[in-house]
Amino acid sequence: IQEGFLERVRSSEQTFDMTSAKFRHDKIREAAYGRIGANERVRYHHDIGMALYSNIPGFDADANVMLFTTVGQLNRGISLILEYPSEMRISIAEMNCKAGMKAIECSNFESAYKYLKAGIMLLPDGSWNYHQTLCVELYSLLSRAAYALGILDDAFQASKMIIENIKMIEDKLDIYTLYIKILFAQDDAVKAFNTCRWVLRRLGENVPPPEVVEDIGVHATVKTTYSMYIGFSTSELLGMEESKNPIHIAIMNFYRELIFVSFKVITKQLIYYYICRWAQYNSTNGFCRHTPECLASFACALNDWFDFSRESYKIGKVAVDLMKKYDVVSDCAPFVYLAVYSSVALLVEPYQSCADMLQRGYEFSMSKGDTDLASRNLVLMVQNLYFGGTKLSVLKKNISSRINLETQRSHQILLPFWLIFEDTVFTLIGDQEMLSPNIEADLTEGGTVSSDYLDFLCHQRMQSSYWLGHYDRAKYYAERKIRQGLLKFKSIVSEFYFGLTAIKIFQRK
């Protein structure tokens, strides 16, 4: 301190803590650290970490504000700790587990990943037999952190480790939920879909495969399900008692996962059958914490399948209100807002209001580390801003930043949507140099492309052509979309644009 390298730490505005000091500048700290030989640093970190560790009361890291500092120092000396007896290694692994859990609670997934990897490294042989609870915690938290960071191989291996070492299906339902998300993120939607059906069957809910559903008839199933809800008023639906049955809640959860992954596996007509099965199960067995997601999905099915815009909006708003009643907003909002405010609410509420709710869905998704739902909410939020009249220069900037982020992800399912948005904005601005000469060919390069991408491109081309006054081109895209046999809501939009372009062409002649 006298030499000016260190300074006292203030304990308040007017007093200093005489027992604490810090480096006056980061460069001083770096220079001091650099004077320690590389071989000695591991020992220094180990000794500092053990000194801090010995001062944690009863080795209870929860009660110590120095948890992250202690664990950080110990992990940098982990090569020495690996030589310790099993009891000490387990104790420090538990500290890493607690540090990882706290980091995840703060959405600091990168730090959590490092703590949890270190904790697993410290586990002695045979830990799954003698410390099963700790192993499950470490591997499940690691899987969650790795999934949030896009390190899908680590996420998959961690979740698989739990599935292989835990025997009872009831004890690994949570990790199966994450395992299905990871499979979907790895572009193995078929395996994710079949895993959902397998888990539901183990829980006592036999869900027929798609080939059987085609023989059952989707239209009749939608009508039957609709009749189960139409007799209830909004207040009656909101007044339903919440079920606490854990198996019922688990079945509702895996129906949710089944619906989410099915969009890459089966047709939309078949998806609506499974949504109706979900809604029927919910009506028969009672409402629960997953009912908001169920009703939001069912509202979309009604909106697309029949001309039931008023009823679908009522059910969608009930889904939003039930989240608050059951205190599950943070858990259900990403899925519910995505379903309600990208579909049924568009017929009633302003685009800007829908965009605001999708923004909230995006924020909730990111706080949970669910990057897939976050991206979907964000794509549809931008679409609503685009339709709602937001300045194209603002959208151009936002879309470019999202494309840069998306290209860095290993799972790029939403990248084509962003590229189509960008192409539309460049078209409307008139920036010919930035346009892709043939974006449809770009999307199909290297193999087949989802029909959803081409449908979205066709929709964007139809609207931008109309806005620019290219009515013959807009009419062509409208006819193309009508021929695709789209469901009710999209058919209405396409027919509306077809009518507008026909009038403009007639007036021109």
Side-chain angles (χ1 to χ4, degrees), residues 115-321:
Y115 294 136
L116 297 163
K117 289 282 282 188
I120 289 172
M121 187 184 299
L122 288 167
L123 292 174
D125 293 338
S127 290
W128 278 102
N129 296 324
Y130 304 108
H131 304 283
Q132 187 179 93
T133 301
L134 175 61
C135 289
V136 170
E137 267 196 293
L138 281 168
Y139 278 97
S140 61
L141 290 171
L142 175 64
S143 184
R144 182 178 168 189
Y147 172 72
L149 293 171
I151 310 174
L152 298 180
D153 287 341
D154 280 5
F156 176 80
Q157 292 300 329
S159 59
K160 188 179 178 183
M161 183 69 74
I162 298 175
I163 290 170
E164 291 176 348
N165 283 278
I166 302 299
K167 303 303 179 186
M168 298 294 292
I169 185 72
E170 293 81 5
D171 295 334
K172 49 186 177 182
L173 292 175
D174 288 343
I175 200 62
Y176 260 120
T177 300
L178 184 55
Y179 179 70
I180 290 164
K181 292 180 187 295
I182 295 166
L183 288 174
F184 184 76
Q186 291 179 320
D187 287 328
D188 198 350
V190 173
K191 187 173 182 180
F193 181 82
N194 290 332
T195 302
C196 286
R197 289 187 55 246
W198 180 84
V199 173
L200 285 166
R201 188 165 61 251
R202 289 289 303 272
L203 293 173
E205 180 70 3
N206 189 22
V207 180
E211 56 270 20
V212 174
V213 172
E214 292 178 351
D215 297 329
I216 295 173
V218 180
H219 186 86
T221 305
V222 176
K223 291 197 71 172
T224 301
T225 311
Y226 175 67
S227 66
M228 298 173 73
Y229 286 90
I230 190 59
F232 294 101
S233 66
T234 297
S235 58
E236 286 174 330
L237 289 172
L238 291 172
M240 294 287 186
E241 186 175 351
E242 182 182 5
S243 171
K244 301 293 185 180
N245 185 315
I247 298 300
H248 167 52
I249 293 171
I251 289 173
M252 289 288 289
N253 174 57
F254 282 98
Y255 259 122
R256 171 200 180 280
E257 297 301 325
L258 181 79
I259 300 306
F260 188 77
V261 302
S262 64
F263 281 89
K264 287 190 67 178
V265 180
I266 56 179
T267 64
K268 289 183 179 178
Q269 287 84 350
L270 294 179
I271 292 169
Y272 290 146
Y273 169 82
Y274 290 114
I275 289 175
C276 288
R277 280 290 302 262
W278 188 15
Q280 288 177 10
Y281 182 87
N282 176 74
S283 177
T284 304
N285 294 275
F287 284 25
C288 72
R289 61 192 306 272
H290 294 294
T291 294
E293 298 162 310
C294 173
L295 294 185
S297 300
F298 183 54
C300 290
L302 288 179
N303 187 60
D304 278 349
W305 198 268
F306 296 114
D307 190 12
F308 289 163
S309 57
R310 182 178 300 177
E311 289 83 355
S312 62
Y313 180 69
K314 181 188 81 172
I315 292 174
K317 292 299 287 185
V318 166
V320 173
D321 291 338

Side-chain angles (χ1 to χ4, degrees), residues 409-452:
R409 298 180 62 201
S410 57
H411 180 46
Q412 298 178 359
I413 185 174
L414 295 173
L415 180 59
F417 289 112
W418 291 113
L419 293 173
I420 294 169
F421 268 134
E422 184 181 55
D423 183 77
T424 303
V425 171
F426 286 148
T427 299
L428 294 174
I429 290 175
D431 193 344
Q432 299 298 319
E433 293 182 1
M434 297 301 294
L435 282 172
S436 170
N438 191 347
I439 190 171
E440 192 165 337
D442 292 343
L443 290 174
T444 56
E445 183 180 0
T448 59
V449 68
S450 168
S451 60
D452 288 340

